Amino acid sequence: MINVRLEPHTSGRSQAVAAKRLAAGSLIVSCDALTTVLLPQEKGQRCDACHTKSPGLQKCSGCAAYFYCSTKCQNIQWQAHHKRICKRFNKYTSSLGFQALAPHEKLDALLLSHLVAQLDGADSAVNDPLNSILSLLPGPSNLPTPQIAYSSPRITVSEVKDWYAKFGNNNFVIHSHLTTFGHGIFPLASRLFNHSCLPNAAAKYILSPSSLPKMEVVALRDISPEEEICLTYLDPALLQTRQQIFQLTYGFECRCTSCLFFEKVGPIPGPPTDPGQRDGLSVQLLQFMKDTPHDGMSLGSATFPSNLLPIFHESYITDVAEIFRNASHDGPYAVALSSGKTLLALYRLIYPPNYPQIGMHLLELAKTSWNRIVSENMDASAERVMKAECRMYLNEAKGILQILGPEGNEDGPLVEIKVLESVLEEP
Ligand SMILES: C[S@@+](CC[C@H](N)C(=O)[O-])C[C@H]1O[C@@H](n2cnc3c(N)ncnc32)[C@H](O)[C@@H]1O
């Protein structure tokens, strides 16, 4: 690892610090998946081994429950764990024990089954995968270990329990363009990165046929030598609930700039229910951001107007996001753009600069502006103004999403940006 180094941390055992200056957009570290599992709705859509999307997947002829894009992928997974699970898989998934599990427990049980079958087959003389799992911190909760599809006399119940204890604290969701499609164990990333609600790095997933998915950790902004590199463990927009989740799931208290700000301001008042007052709140927020542009990083260093605090209520963010989502595809586009601008201001205050969520939202705003142009009968000057707005959103989206770079499925925001750029250039 030439870019990061582990050092002691005041409360989190260790921390990854930059070994040198890392420019925004640079690859910090690439991490192999130890094992992964697809969400149920992705089964048959993506290859179970490499997770690329492919129309003509071949079913495993043994269990008919795993799907592959090539013989190579099937062989990779067969050798890794499937040859030990295949025959037992359907009996296991139809068992009452498995059926009684909640959806997230089922995923954990499948991931644990993969892990145990994989570690049983690993070469004990050079057992890197086992050592990497053993090096991780267990989570604070002691949940009962689910029954798994595979057991072996070489692996004891207490070993399985020990590995499962690391799950809550360490597993990652795997996503493509911010949409989750699976869960996975990436031991190096777990060992290295602590959490911040204002992270300076982000994880993306590289999918390519015939290889297991890789996690790449990318710098979101310039990072100075010795600065701690953090990822975010959950969506920082969970403003009122995140501390509780950190405590229960990970056993720590977040002391980032954003969390210290919310500790200082105390309980967030609920937003007004009156539609006129809610519109007024949004107008005040946009005016505030115009007069004194802020981002998540600067929240702690300024006095924030107390009349605006209700914008940080989770219910307000959820409502604004829903209004935008509903109106941005089929209209009314004026409503979508108005709620979309409010949501952009909220994202800028909650997330750090260049956070991918902001880039994706800017792209949605550009697409909504374009939909408005083509669906409304505007005069030439209104169209010019709208096109300029569309270009502005698009340029900013491009700047942010290029920092993250290509990731996930082949299609995606960078491709969409190119298409919209070319239609905007047409006379
Ligand atoms: C995935 S591990 C991160 C790597 C960990 N520091 C290590 O040494 O293995 C997650 C655990 O790290 C610690 N941790 C992560 N972020 C933290 C933070 N912001 N403050 C305090 N502890 C943190 C907690 O113990 C958490 O359960």
Side-chain angles (χ1 to χ4, degrees):
M1 288 189 300
I2 50 169
N3 295 330
V4 267
R5 177 175 72 238
L6 270 180
E7 296 213 334
H9 183 265
T10 45
S11 57
R13 176 165 68 155
S14 55
Q15 59 181 334
V17 299
K20 58 183 185 185
R21 184 184 168 278
L22 299 167
S26 53
L27 171 65
I28 299 172
V29 69
S30 173
C31 307
D32 291 327
L34 179 52
T35 193
T36 60
V37 67
L38 288 175
L39 298 189
Q41 64 269 30
E42 299 286 337
K43 279 288 213 179
Q45 312 289 319
R46 291 178 186 275
C47 171
D48 269 286
C50 70
H51 297 343
T52 55
K53 271 192 161 183
S54 173
L57 297 174
Q58 298 292 314
K59 252 187 220 170
C60 166
S61 58
C63 62
Y66 281 68
F67 299 80
Y68 302 101
C69 66
S70 66
T71 312
K72 189 163 177 205
C73 271
Q74 180 161 26
N75 286 340
I76 292 173
Q77 192 153 84
W78 183 258
Q79 291 307 330
H81 54 72
H82 197 61
K83 67 180 174 190
R84 294 179 201 90
I85 297 179
C86 186
K87 277 206 181 71
R88 313 154 197 238
F89 191 77
N90 289 317
K91 193 167 169 214
Y92 168 67
T93 51
S94 54
S95 68
L96 279 180
F98 183 81
Q99 288 300 326
L101 298 174
H104 72 278
E105 293 171 329
K106 283 184 177 158
L107 271 183
D108 268 1
L110 292 175
L111 199 59
L112 188 63
S113 300
H114 289 182
L115 181 70
V116 172
Q118 193 161 323
L119 292 184
D120 189 32
D123 178 352
S124 56
V126 245
N127 208 336
D128 279 351
L130 180 56
N131 290 335
S132 62
I133 276 283
L134 290 176
S135 75
L136 303 179
L137 284 173
S141 56
N142 197 5
L143 296 173
T145 313
Q147 277 197 355
I148 50 173
Y150 176 75
S151 61
S152 152
R154 288 179 297 273
I155 296 182
T156 65
V157 172
S158 88
E159 278 175 313
V160 178
K161 192 171 170 357
D162 187 28
W163 301 339
Y164 184 63
K166 325 257 176 182
F167 268 40
N169 212 12
N170 291 291
N171 292 353
F172 287 86
V173 295
I174 311 176
H175 47 78
S176 164
H177 319 319
L178 302 189
T179 303
T180 299
F181 65 79
H183 287 192
I185 306 177
F186 296 83
L188 178 60
S190 290
R191 183 67 189 87
L192 287 174
F193 300 111
N194 286 330
H195 162 86
S196 168
C197 304
L198 294 169
N200 51 10
K204 66 174 183 178
Y205 295 90
I206 305 299
L207 308 178
S208 63
S210 309
S211 18
L212 295 184
K214 265 189 190 299
M215 178 200 288
E216 288 190 354
V217 177
V218 176
L220 290 179
R221 59 170 169 78
D222 292 352
I223 302 177
S224 313
E226 306 303 321
E227 191 181 336
E228 183 178 8
I229 303 171
C230 288
L231 295 175
T232 186
Y233 290 3
L234 52 85
D235 185 351
L238 294 167
L239 292 169
Q240 275 83 65
T241 39
R242 64 191 192 194
Q243 280 293 6
Q244 204 183 2
I245 302 176
F246 297 139
Q247 289 285 0
L248 292 176
T249 313
Y250 301 97
F252 72 89
E253 188 187 357
C254 184
R255 306 298 290 158
C256 73
T257 304
S258 170
C259 285
L260 291 178
F261 167 78
F262 286 107
E263 185 180 276
K264 195 176 78 183
V265 297
I268 298 295
T273 46
D274 173 70
Q277 286 182 4
R278 283 174 87 92
D279 287 349
L281 186 63
S282 162
V283 171
Q284 288 168 39
L285 168 64
L286 295 179
Q287 191 58 48
F288 169 72
M289 291 293 275
K290 197 169 163 205
D291 296 344
T292 38
H294 269 64
D295 60 33
M297 311 291 286
S298 61
L299 263 189
S301 58
T303 40
F304 195 82
S306 57
N307 59 316
L308 283 183
L309 286 177
I311 61 152
F312 292 122
H313 203 274
E314 268 174 37
S315 68
Y316 183 71
I317 304 166
T318 314
D319 284 353
V320 177
E322 196 176 318
I323 295 170
F324 176 68
R325 201 174 28 251
N326 290 339
S328 59
H329 295 291
D330 301 320
Y333 297 116
V335 172
L337 286 172
S338 155
S339 55
K341 283 174 197 170
T342 307
L343 196 58
L344 179 63
L346 284 167
Y347 282 174
R348 289 198 202 279
L349 285 168
I350 295 169
Y351 297 127
N354 301 329
Y355 195 68
Q357 189 83 40
I358 303 179
M360 294 293 269
H361 182 58
L362 283 156
L363 176 57
E364 288 304 312
L365 276 169
K367 291 195 298 194
T368 309
S369 313
W370 178 252
N371 285 342
R372 189 170 181 190
I373 294 166
V374 293
S375 66
E376 288 180 15
N377 216 353
M378 294 180 182
D379 62 36
S381 94
E383 187 175 314
R384 251 194 322 277
V385 171
M386 207 64 233
K387 276 191 172 169
E389 203 170 300
C390 182
R391 267 191 211 99
M392 182 188 74
Y393 292 135
L394 203 57
N395 284 340
E396 217 189 323
K398 187 174 171 180
I400 292 178
L401 293 170
Q402 275 180 339
I403 287 178
L404 188 68
E407 45 93 24
N409 304 341
E410 274 180 2
D411 55 350
L414 292 172
V415 177
E416 286 187 84
I417 287 172
K418 268 202 176 135
V419 173
L420 194 45
E421 275 176 341
S422 64
V423 291
L424 271 169
E425 266 168 32
E426 284 168 17

